[in-house]
Amino acid sequence: MVKKTAILTGEAFSPLFFRHVSPGLGDSTLQFRFIHFWEARKNVKGGPCIFLGIEMLMIDEEGTLAQGFIGQNRRNQYEKELERGSIYTLTNFYASNSKVMYHVADQNLVICISHVSALSKVEENIEGILTERFRIHSFSDFEANCDLRGDIHDVVGHLKLVDGQPLHQRLVLCTKDDSTSRRVMVHLQLKNGPVMNIYLWDEAAENFCLKFDACAATRTVLLVTTVNPKRLGGKLRLSSMSYSRVFLDEEVDSPKEYLTWLKTAKAMKEEATSRNGKRKRQRNPKTPKEEPEESPKNQNNDKKRQRDTKTHKSNQHGGSSALSKRPKPSNFLDTLREKLSGGNFRRLNEKLYTCSGKEALDYFNEDPTLFDMYHTGYQQQMTNWPELPVNSIISWLSSRSSSLVVADFGCGDARIAKSVKNKVFSFDLVSKDPSVIACDMSNTPLESSSVDVAVFCLSLMGTNYSSYIKEAHRVLRPSGWLLIAEVKSRFDPNNGGADPKDFVKAVSDLGFSSSLKDFSNKMFILLHFKKKEQLNSNKKKIEWPELKACLYKRR
Ligand code: SAH
């Protein structure tokens, strides 16, 4: 493990990052923000709880979460210093592998503050250190981690029922009866998942009720941190822990983004319903029962819908999404042009999946206009996807430190670089923007071990895709992230796709460890890996499975 010593020379102070901390005494300086702290207690059968100390959750400039501990005999010395949200430096700490029942952070090590430690508050805020970072899991992740004592994660979703009550009646949850410990049960609908029962206990229940009641408008989205997945009566349920926190709607970024997604999804659904209704009405124009009630407002909307439906009818590519940015064809010639370009897109797409990266580069170099044609078709295809994988990657990056350096392999319109604060190197076969570096991504100009995150978002296209991943391995620093989003059907062994297990094994054999396998989306899968610290000594030949081409149907 790299041992980095902090240099405290006034100007050039470089703190030690959590990921570089090794077990034992540490005399370097850590710098972090306190996110949360709570009392650790041990339950004794029949007796009172024993107070063990204060546990803490901290985040460093790289966005790594670590757990800290202050023993009960040092409580008085430090407790009054602790302030949530503030930045601290810490020297002379002790990092222990001590057995914690559940981990609430990225690190397995616990950073203990001892009598020789120096903890001091930094008066100025450091913007580069995140104020929060959540580790949100999907239903399938909770299912996989159910009844295990290990890492526990956060959940976000929208409220369906609170203590069995629907939300449309204005509920008041806080009662004057504080004598018994509180419990609230919510039914939470997860994105791309089922409705889950979540039990909130004690402080989490209390805070939920206070926050829920505090606003005149009904709250919709709930985030609960560190929930424990358990199977009760055959059904998976999540329970809050003594250190869980609750956030509603716009309080912090994660539920805020969820709320935006929810509103967009609702608006798109309404639009699709109204279009379907309109289409039906056009097929059977004399069915008066189907006419909506007329108000001056929806008369206008109806005119607009008629306009939309007319253009939609002539749009043979079925660009049915509200997100489609392309002007819709207005006459027969436009429609014909569109059909031809659709054909070109399919031809180019097939070409990219069936040739090597080098051949693809030569092909586009000969006629760069083909690249525009490809991307027009690609954007059109994407309008049929309810959620874009690139947005998942953007929100992953946004929830981490913006100091992470990113390489976007096969960046297309460089959406990642345009959406995050990080330094992003964007690579594609053709550069349509000065920020994009044109190259075959099996051979980028980046130095070895120079980036923190390598992204492949729907871009493992060539027959030599393994050489792209090898290139990512070269440019990533140890412990760097490899994020892959790919079309789901390419990993469906029942339909000629690769077995995801074989793919994960091949990437792992190259020198990565798998950290996330998310199959919850209908259209794409997300695989996250971390580059191993040590080079693989095993030089066995890696078996890369063939990745089926993703060919789009004629519409
Ligand atoms: N990542 C973007 C674009 C995906 S389309 C997004 O999610 O929106 C796939 C992109 O990978 C295309 O722009 C294609 O040109 C690029 N690509 C495919 N093979 C490549 C290679 N060998 N080198 C560089 N870019 C490549």
PDB file of all heavy atoms in Angstrom, residues 92-109:
ATOM      1  N   ASN A  92      -1.746  11.796  14.343  1.00  0.00           N
ATOM      2  CA  ASN A  92      -1.524  10.783  15.387  1.00  0.00           C
ATOM      3  C   ASN A  92      -2.790   9.989  15.708  1.00  0.00           C
ATOM      4  O   ASN A  92      -3.266   9.991  16.834  1.00  0.00           O
ATOM      5  CB  ASN A  92      -0.982  11.427  16.677  1.00  0.00           C
ATOM      6  CG  ASN A  92       0.361  12.064  16.428  1.00  0.00           C
ATOM      7  OD1 ASN A  92       1.095  11.625  15.536  1.00  0.00           O
ATOM      8  ND2 ASN A  92       0.667  13.090  17.161  1.00  0.00           N
ATOM      9  N   PHE A  93      -3.307   9.373  14.715  1.00  0.00           N
ATOM     10  CA  PHE A  93      -4.501   8.539  14.897  1.00  0.00           C
ATOM     11  C   PHE A  93      -4.064   7.080  14.875  1.00  0.00           C
ATOM     12  O   PHE A  93      -2.897   6.769  14.583  1.00  0.00           O
ATOM     13  CB  PHE A  93      -5.508   8.804  13.765  1.00  0.00           C
ATOM     14  CG  PHE A  93      -4.898   8.660  12.416  1.00  0.00           C
ATOM     15  CD1 PHE A  93      -4.860   7.430  11.776  1.00  0.00           C
ATOM     16  CD2 PHE A  93      -4.300   9.752  11.783  1.00  0.00           C
ATOM     17  CE1 PHE A  93      -4.267   7.287  10.545  1.00  0.00           C
ATOM     18  CE2 PHE A  93      -3.693   9.606  10.538  1.00  0.00           C
ATOM     19  CZ  PHE A  93      -3.675   8.372   9.928  1.00  0.00           C
ATOM     20  N   TYR A  94      -5.006   6.212  15.150  1.00  0.00           N
ATOM     21  CA  TYR A  94      -4.712   4.785  15.102  1.00  0.00           C
ATOM     22  C   TYR A  94      -5.762   4.139  14.197  1.00  0.00           C
ATOM     23  O   TYR A  94      -6.951   4.293  14.437  1.00  0.00           O
ATOM     24  CB  TYR A  94      -4.770   4.186  16.518  1.00  0.00           C
ATOM     25  CG  TYR A  94      -4.322   2.751  16.532  1.00  0.00           C
ATOM     26  CD1 TYR A  94      -2.967   2.437  16.606  1.00  0.00           C
ATOM     27  CD2 TYR A  94      -5.252   1.720  16.432  1.00  0.00           C
ATOM     28  CE1 TYR A  94      -2.549   1.118  16.576  1.00  0.00           C
ATOM     29  CE2 TYR A  94      -4.837   0.394  16.398  1.00  0.00           C
ATOM     30  CZ  TYR A  94      -3.488   0.106  16.472  1.00  0.00           C
ATOM     31  OH  TYR A  94      -3.073  -1.194  16.434  1.00  0.00           O
ATOM     32  N   ALA A  95      -5.320   3.463  13.132  1.00  0.00           N
ATOM     33  CA  ALA A  95      -6.287   2.839  12.225  1.00  0.00           C
ATOM     34  C   ALA A  95      -6.401   1.366  12.573  1.00  0.00           C
ATOM     35  O   ALA A  95      -5.390   0.660  12.619  1.00  0.00           O
ATOM     36  CB  ALA A  95      -5.839   3.007  10.788  1.00  0.00           C
ATOM     37  N   SER A  96      -7.616   0.944  12.870  1.00  0.00           N
ATOM     38  CA  SER A  96      -7.741  -0.455  13.299  1.00  0.00           C
ATOM     39  C   SER A  96      -8.694  -1.233  12.398  1.00  0.00           C
ATOM     40  O   SER A  96      -9.650  -0.677  11.845  1.00  0.00           O
ATOM     41  CB  SER A  96      -8.197  -0.487  14.762  1.00  0.00           C
ATOM     42  OG  SER A  96      -9.552  -0.760  14.833  1.00  0.00           O
ATOM     43  N   ASN A  97      -8.401  -2.505  12.316  1.00  0.00           N
ATOM     44  CA  ASN A  97      -9.247  -3.398  11.529  1.00  0.00           C
ATOM     45  C   ASN A  97     -10.359  -3.944  12.398  1.00  0.00           C
ATOM     46  O   ASN A  97     -10.969  -4.933  12.054  1.00  0.00           O
ATOM     47  CB  ASN A  97      -8.407  -4.590  11.068  1.00  0.00           C
ATOM     48  CG  ASN A  97      -7.856  -4.364   9.694  1.00  0.00           C
ATOM     49  OD1 ASN A  97      -8.526  -3.769   8.859  1.00  0.00           O
ATOM     50  ND2 ASN A  97      -6.627  -4.819   9.470  1.00  0.00           N
ATOM     51  N   SER A  98     -10.608  -3.281  13.507  1.00  0.00           N
ATOM     52  CA  SER A  98     -11.481  -3.844  14.537  1.00  0.00           C
ATOM     53  C   SER A  98     -12.819  -4.291  13.959  1.00  0.00           C
ATOM     54  O   SER A  98     -13.335  -3.687  13.026  1.00  0.00           O
ATOM     55  CB  SER A  98     -11.716  -2.842  15.659  1.00  0.00           C
ATOM     56  OG  SER A  98     -12.482  -1.790  15.148  1.00  0.00           O
ATOM     57  N   LYS A  99     -13.334  -5.344  14.563  1.00  0.00           N
ATOM     58  CA  LYS A  99     -14.549  -5.946  14.009  1.00  0.00           C
ATOM     59  C   LYS A  99     -15.723  -5.025  14.235  1.00  0.00           C
ATOM     60  O   LYS A  99     -16.100  -4.737  15.359  1.00  0.00           O
ATOM     61  CB  LYS A  99     -14.834  -7.270  14.714  1.00  0.00           C
ATOM     62  CG  LYS A  99     -14.109  -8.411  14.086  1.00  0.00           C
ATOM     63  CD  LYS A  99     -14.560  -9.701  14.692  1.00  0.00           C
ATOM     64  CE  LYS A  99     -13.515 -10.760  14.436  1.00  0.00           C
ATOM     65  NZ  LYS A  99     -13.530 -11.773  15.455  1.00  0.00           N
ATOM     66  N   VAL A 100     -16.266  -4.521  13.152  1.00  0.00           N
ATOM     67  CA  VAL A 100     -17.508  -3.756  13.307  1.00  0.00           C
ATOM     68  C   VAL A 100     -18.582  -4.655  12.732  1.00  0.00           C
ATOM     69  O   VAL A 100     -18.341  -5.368  11.762  1.00  0.00           O
ATOM     70  CB  VAL A 100     -17.484  -2.423  12.526  1.00  0.00           C
ATOM     71  CG1 VAL A 100     -17.124  -1.270  13.417  1.00  0.00           C
ATOM     72  CG2 VAL A 100     -16.603  -2.505  11.334  1.00  0.00           C
ATOM     73  N   MET A 101     -19.736  -4.634  13.340  1.00  0.00           N
ATOM     74  CA  MET A 101     -20.788  -5.514  12.840  1.00  0.00           C
ATOM     75  C   MET A 101     -21.171  -5.146  11.408  1.00  0.00           C
ATOM     76  O   MET A 101     -21.259  -5.966  10.542  1.00  0.00           O
ATOM     77  CB  MET A 101     -21.993  -5.391  13.753  1.00  0.00           C
ATOM     78  CG  MET A 101     -22.079  -6.566  14.650  1.00  0.00           C
ATOM     79  SD  MET A 101     -23.702  -7.133  14.987  1.00  0.00           S
ATOM     80  CE  MET A 101     -24.674  -5.761  15.351  1.00  0.00           C
ATOM     81  N   TYR A 102     -21.381  -3.854  11.229  1.00  0.00           N
ATOM     82  CA  TYR A 102     -21.752  -3.365   9.903  1.00  0.00           C
ATOM     83  C   TYR A 102     -20.824  -2.227   9.518  1.00  0.00           C
ATOM     84  O   TYR A 102     -20.449  -1.425  10.349  1.00  0.00           O
ATOM     85  CB  TYR A 102     -23.179  -2.821   9.934  1.00  0.00           C
ATOM     86  CG  TYR A 102     -24.200  -3.852  10.236  1.00  0.00           C
ATOM     87  CD1 TYR A 102     -24.818  -3.878  11.471  1.00  0.00           C
ATOM     88  CD2 TYR A 102     -24.570  -4.790   9.280  1.00  0.00           C
ATOM     89  CE1 TYR A 102     -25.783  -4.829  11.756  1.00  0.00           C
ATOM     90  CE2 TYR A 102     -25.527  -5.741   9.561  1.00  0.00           C
ATOM     91  CZ  TYR A 102     -26.129  -5.758  10.795  1.00  0.00           C
ATOM     92  OH  TYR A 102     -27.074  -6.682  11.060  1.00  0.00           O
ATOM     93  N   HIS A 103     -20.490  -2.158   8.238  1.00  0.00           N
ATOM     94  CA  HIS A 103     -19.698  -1.022   7.775  1.00  0.00           C
ATOM     95  C   HIS A 103     -20.644   0.023   7.210  1.00  0.00           C
ATOM     96  O   HIS A 103     -21.554  -0.307   6.460  1.00  0.00           O
ATOM     97  CB  HIS A 103     -18.748  -1.459   6.667  1.00  0.00           C
ATOM     98  CG  HIS A 103     -17.721  -2.432   7.132  1.00  0.00           C
ATOM     99  ND1 HIS A 103     -16.717  -2.078   7.989  1.00  0.00           N
ATOM    100  CD2 HIS A 103     -17.552  -3.750   6.871  1.00  0.00           C
ATOM    101  CE1 HIS A 103     -15.970  -3.138   8.232  1.00  0.00           C
ATOM    102  NE2 HIS A 103     -16.459  -4.165   7.572  1.00  0.00           N
ATOM    103  N   VAL A 104     -20.386   1.266   7.548  1.00  0.00           N
ATOM    104  CA  VAL A 104     -21.236   2.323   6.998  1.00  0.00           C
ATOM    105  C   VAL A 104     -20.451   3.194   6.019  1.00  0.00           C
ATOM    106  O   VAL A 104     -20.928   4.196   5.552  1.00  0.00           O
ATOM    107  CB  VAL A 104     -21.837   3.206   8.114  1.00  0.00           C
ATOM    108  CG1 VAL A 104     -22.687   2.399   9.041  1.00  0.00           C
ATOM    109  CG2 VAL A 104     -20.754   3.935   8.896  1.00  0.00           C
ATOM    110  N   ALA A 105     -19.203   2.798   5.745  1.00  0.00           N
ATOM    111  CA  ALA A 105     -18.344   3.639   4.907  1.00  0.00           C
ATOM    112  C   ALA A 105     -17.656   2.796   3.841  1.00  0.00           C
ATOM    113  O   ALA A 105     -17.814   1.584   3.796  1.00  0.00           O
ATOM    114  CB  ALA A 105     -17.300   4.308   5.793  1.00  0.00           C
ATOM    115  N   ASP A 106     -16.859   3.458   2.971  1.00  0.00           N
ATOM    116  CA  ASP A 106     -16.152   2.716   1.916  1.00  0.00           C
ATOM    117  C   ASP A 106     -15.011   1.890   2.501  1.00  0.00           C
ATOM    118  O   ASP A 106     -14.665   0.848   1.982  1.00  0.00           O
ATOM    119  CB  ASP A 106     -15.512   3.694   0.922  1.00  0.00           C
ATOM    120  CG  ASP A 106     -16.537   4.568   0.232  1.00  0.00           C
ATOM    121  OD1 ASP A 106     -17.564   4.025  -0.182  1.00  0.00           O
ATOM    122  OD2 ASP A 106     -16.308   5.773   0.121  1.00  0.00           O
ATOM    123  N   GLN A 107     -14.393   2.435   3.559  1.00  0.00           N
ATOM    124  CA  GLN A 107     -13.202   1.809   4.128  1.00  0.00           C
ATOM    125  C   GLN A 107     -13.572   0.767   5.167  1.00  0.00           C
ATOM    126  O   GLN A 107     -14.498   0.972   5.948  1.00  0.00           O
ATOM    127  CB  GLN A 107     -12.351   2.862   4.846  1.00  0.00           C
ATOM    128  CG  GLN A 107     -11.912   4.020   3.980  1.00  0.00           C
ATOM    129  CD  GLN A 107     -10.865   3.604   2.986  1.00  0.00           C
ATOM    130  OE1 GLN A 107     -11.194   3.188   1.896  1.00  0.00           O
ATOM    131  NE2 GLN A 107      -9.623   3.693   3.343  1.00  0.00           N
ATOM    132  N   ASN A 108     -12.803  -0.316   5.231  1.00  0.00           N
ATOM    133  CA  ASN A 108     -13.016  -1.284   6.302  1.00  0.00           C
ATOM    134  C   ASN A 108     -12.284  -0.880   7.574  1.00  0.00           C
ATOM    135  O   ASN A 108     -12.589  -1.336   8.649  1.00  0.00           O
ATOM    136  CB  ASN A 108     -12.542  -2.671   5.869  1.00  0.00           C
ATOM    137  CG  ASN A 108     -13.517  -3.266   4.882  1.00  0.00           C
ATOM    138  OD1 ASN A 108     -14.609  -2.736   4.695  1.00  0.00           O
ATOM    139  ND2 ASN A 108     -13.138  -4.350   4.242  1.00  0.00           N
ATOM    140  N   LEU A 109     -11.296   0.008   7.423  1.00  0.00           N
ATOM    141  CA  LEU A 109     -10.535   0.458   8.595  1.00  0.00           C
ATOM    142  C   LEU A 109     -11.337   1.488   9.378  1.00  0.00           C
ATOM    143  O   LEU A 109     -12.062   2.289   8.796  1.00  0.00           O
ATOM    144  CB  LEU A 109      -9.253   1.137   8.130  1.00  0.00           C
ATOM    145  CG  LEU A 109      -8.152   0.258   7.562  1.00  0.00           C
ATOM    146  CD1 LEU A 109      -7.016   1.117   7.068  1.00  0.00           C
ATOM    147  CD2 LEU A 109      -7.662  -0.712   8.619  1.00  0.00           C
TER     148      LEU A 109
END
